[in-house]
Amino acid sequence: MALKLFTVLCLTATVLLLRAQVDANVLFQLSVMNKINNQPIQRYNATAKTGGSLLGAMTRLKQTSNNFTFTGSENPDFGVFIESVNNVAGNFTDRTFWQILSNKSGTPTPTPVGVSCYFPMENEHIIFNLTTF
Ligand SMILES: *[C@@H]1O[C@H](CO)[C@@H](O)[C@H](O)[C@H]1NC(C)=O
Ligand SMILES: *[C@@H]1O[C@H](CO)[C@@H](O)[C@H](O)[C@H]1NC(C)=O
Ligand SMILES: *[C@@H]1O[C@H](CO)[C@@H](O)[C@H](O)[C@H]1NC(C)=O
Ligand SMILES: *[C@@H]1O[C@H](CO)[C@@H](O)[C@H](O)[C@H]1NC(C)=O
Ligand SMILES: *[C@@H]1O[C@H](CO)[C@@H](O)[C@H](O)[C@H]1NC(C)=O
């Protein structure tokens, strides 16, 4: 199961968890952009746990929101790879994929790690952008 595996992968999460206030929430903004299919930007307020992963926040948002969903596949080396967001899948033939960016620097910049090992900060703006490779 995904959750078990990513805690093994992201050892830093264990360390962060020890320091974290139990059950404290980190509020951040999550946007879904799909210019390729001319879709309007979809914005959500998301909640991570302090020291918790972006994947955890996405899973919570999927459970609590009627209009956010995603699918992913488990990679033993890199954690969960996002395959579709809001029912739009990346497509190898079309050379599209969901790029994950953070706008915390004021310029949207790809996150250095995947959703399993990325830990959102308060007020951070995370962007899922369908783009080409
Ligand atoms: C998602 O649904 C909520 C509640 O129905 C609505 O307020 C919000 O605008 C919707 N957001 C998106 C991105 O569709
Ligand atoms: C997110 O929360 C803020 C503050 O409560 C609110 O102003 C904003 O409209 C919310 N955005 C969405 C997309 O729900
Ligand atoms: C990927 O795109 C190609 C070409 O547009 C299409 O034929 C194919 O069905 C798509 N595959 C998936 C898995 O969506
Ligand atoms: C990123 O942040 C900058 C500075 O706050 C803002 O001007 C810009 O609109 C943001 N970009 C996106 C895609 O939200
Ligand atoms: C999102 O992807 C589109 C299509 O590839 C691209 O034009 C745009 O610059 C990307 N936006 C960001 C914030 O990276």
Side-chain angles (χ1 to χ4, degrees), residues 35-36 101 108 129-132:
K35 267 192 201 156
I36 291 174
L101 307 109
N129 188 36
L130 189 74
T131 192
T132 48

Side-chain angles (χ1 to χ4, degrees), residues 54-108:
L54 177 55
L55 177 63
M58 291 167 70
T59 303
R60 190 172 301 109
L61 186 61
K62 179 177 170 173
Q63 285 163 352
T64 56
S65 157
N66 58 348
N67 48 23
F68 176 79
T69 190
F70 72 97
T71 61
S73 62
E74 186 70 43
N75 179 296
D77 292 303
F78 304 108
V80 168
F81 175 77
I82 298 302
E83 291 181 333
S84 77
V85 179
N86 290 350
N87 301 311
V88 177
N91 183 318
F92 200 79
T93 311
D94 292 348
R95 301 179 63 83
T96 55
F97 76 108
W98 284 101
Q99 188 170 46
I100 308 157
L101 307 109
S102 167
N103 197 24
K104 70 180 169 196
S105 70
T107 304

Side-chain angles (χ1 to χ4, degrees), residues 6-20 50-52 113 116-119:
F6 87 77
T7 51
V8 175
L9 283 163
C10 306
L11 288 176
T12 52
T14 315
V15 177
L16 286 165
L17 202 60
L18 294 172
R19 292 202 308 246
T50 303
V113 293
S116 306
C117 292
Y118 193 81
F119 309 108

